């Protein structure tokens, strides 16, 4: 399979030598390396606004390609290349009109299903629509609370290939999800999610503590679609809290953690590290659990309001701790360092993942030396979106880590830029809603943190 255009520009530098791991490794050559002909979950259902008079699209990227998603007149999600064929403006900043995507710049309208232009306002009546007036339309399906996009060959986009797990069909489980775009390489993020040894240190006091940092044998097995960690690892790490936990990576970018506590409570965490572009990851986190219904219900309600950004804020601490490590790693790799240079036994899963990634994404961290056209504006947009208008993630992180109240100016700024009501506005109703949501989020966070602390 030919690599995506953006990837093929990465230099073919061999990756770090990972062969000195202490244990014999196993075969992974059967795990598919076609990263184009795959369904990617690109958004949670509520992220694409329902049809309304002022419907908007959502813009993001997948494998380096800009895409715009919106709902047509039947609320069916459509996905178009985020590039108008007229003068290449971004379609995602336009509006949705009668189920068609209207370009913001000169009002050309596009059919979401075919990508064809259905209306050109300034076209003379005696002229035909130019045959090139068409944008790419991606196969797109809404299923299991997620919006799935197929970036590969259209004739191979078989809906039955969308993954499905028993938990996703169990209506008794409550669902919650959140998306964050980050200036992070997707493979480093994916690898971070299979790196148990970092949790006691990078997340000390969050869902693990330094005391948990002790020798751990990490038995990895290959599955048909990825890698799997022996259920005993959690019990080894936290002998005081017997439970069953499995950890799985499914090619190309899904990590799933399943936990069953002693009392039989279950929790399924799904992490998707979507490769947006070199150095950019769209991280989608979803959770299925059979406890905490009222809090989940409140959170799902909040997700549809501007207060959703408070929910994001409440949940940013742990990702930002990871980002602190990963941005440093990225900087060092850019300056010539290897990655995972001295693996030990508990890095086995990451080593195997790296070997797969080397084949699938061509030997190296795919953004390294990338000479493509990802512009600084895109990066700033992504960071700004994720960080409430902070100039950089680092600035946001520093400010918030020192005092959570420092988030307020960012939220005010975000509200202003996006023309949304400011949840911090000093009104009675606003303050009450804020207090209520903060309490709910705090409680959910505490419950989740306790659970995770016991499972990690
Ligand atoms: S650039 Fe889109 S209509 Fe002109
Ligand atoms: Fe982490």
């Amino acid at each position: 399979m030919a690599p995506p255009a953006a990837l093929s520009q990465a230099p073919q530098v061999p990756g770090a030598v990972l062969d000195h791991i202490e244990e014999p490794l196993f075969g992974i050559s059967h795990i598919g390396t076609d990263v184009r002909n795959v369904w990617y979950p690109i958004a949670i259902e509520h992220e694409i606004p329902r049809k309304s008079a002022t419907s908007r699209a959502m813009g993001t990227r997948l494998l380096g390609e800009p895409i715009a998603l919106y709902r047509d007149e039947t609320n069916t999600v459509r996905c178009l290349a985020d590039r108008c064929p007229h003068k290449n403006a971004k379609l995602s900043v336009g509006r949705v009109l009668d189920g068609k995507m209207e370009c913001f710049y000169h009002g050309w309208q596009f059919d979401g299903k075919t990508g064809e232009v259905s209306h050109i306002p300034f076209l003379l009546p005696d002229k035909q629509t130019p045959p090139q007036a068409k944008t790419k339309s991606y196969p797109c399906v809404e299923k299991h609370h997620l919006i799935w996009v197929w970036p590969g060959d259209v004739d191979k986009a078989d809906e039955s290939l969308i993954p499905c797990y028993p938990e996703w069909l169990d209506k008794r489980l409550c669902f919650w999800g959140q998306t964050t775009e980050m200036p992070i390489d997707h493979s480093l993020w994916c690898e971070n999610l299979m790196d148990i040894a970092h949790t006691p240190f990078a997340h000390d006091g969050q869902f693990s503590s330094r005391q948990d940092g002790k020798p751990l044998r990490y038995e990895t097995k290959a599955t048909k679609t990825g890698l799997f960690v022996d259920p005993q690892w959690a019990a080894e790490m936290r002998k005081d809290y017997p439970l069953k936990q499995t950890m799985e990576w499914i090619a190309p970018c899904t990590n799933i953690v399943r936990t069953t506590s002693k009392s039989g409570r279950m929790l399924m965490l799904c992490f998707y590290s979507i490769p947006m572009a070199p150095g950019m990851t769209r991280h989608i986190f979803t959770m299925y659990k059979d406890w905490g219904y009222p809090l989940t219900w409140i959170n799902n309600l909040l997700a549809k309001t501007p207060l959703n950004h408070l929910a994001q804020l409440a949940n940013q601490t742990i990702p930002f701790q990871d980002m602190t490590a990963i941005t440093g790693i990225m900087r060092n790799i850019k300056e010539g360092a290897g990655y995972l240079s001295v693996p030990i036994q508990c890095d086995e899963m990451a080593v195997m993942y790296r070997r797969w990634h080397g084949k699938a994404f061509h030997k190296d961290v795919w953004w390294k030396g990338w000479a493509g056209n990802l512009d600084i504006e895109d990066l700033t947009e992504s960071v700004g979106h994720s960080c409430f208008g902070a100039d950089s993630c680092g600035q946001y992180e520093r400010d918030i880590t020192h005092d959570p109240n420092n988030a307020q100016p960012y939220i005010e700024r975000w509200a202003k830029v996006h023309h949304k009501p400011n949840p911090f506005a000093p009104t009675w109703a606003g303050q009450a809603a804020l207090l209520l949501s903060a309490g709910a989020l705090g409680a959910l966070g505490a419950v989740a943190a306790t659970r995770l602390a016991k499972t990690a």
Side-chain angles (χ1 to χ4, degrees), residues 411-443:
I411 292 175
E412 279 169 9
R413 198 161 132 191
W414 171 85
K416 218 176 194 170
V417 169
H418 292 269
H419 309 290
K420 302 261 175 155
N422 178 2
F424 280 102
T427 63
W428 241 99
Q431 293 299 307
L434 187 63
L435 218 61
L436 204 70
S437 56
L441 289 167

Side-chain angles (χ1 to χ4, degrees), residues 1 9 51 102 124 151 162 170 177 190 201 211 223 234 240 251 270 325 348 370 380 386 407 448:
M1 183 212 60
Q9 296 175 41
K51 184 190 82 166
E102 187 185 82
L124 294 170
I162 292 177
D170 189 342
C190 210
F201 298 96
Q211 289 71 36
T223 66
D240 54 326
C270 303
E348 189 178 71
W370 190 65
T380 317
S386 299

Side-chain angles (χ1 to χ4, degrees), residues 296-305:
T296 307
W297 182 80
I298 292 171
N299 269 284
N300 281 334
L301 202 69
L302 287 175
K304 297 181 175 65
T305 72

Side-chain angles (χ1 to χ4, degrees), residues 192 198-199 203 207 318 322:
N192 173 65
H198 85 280
T199 56
H203 305 301
F207 62 94
I318 291 171
D322 293 308

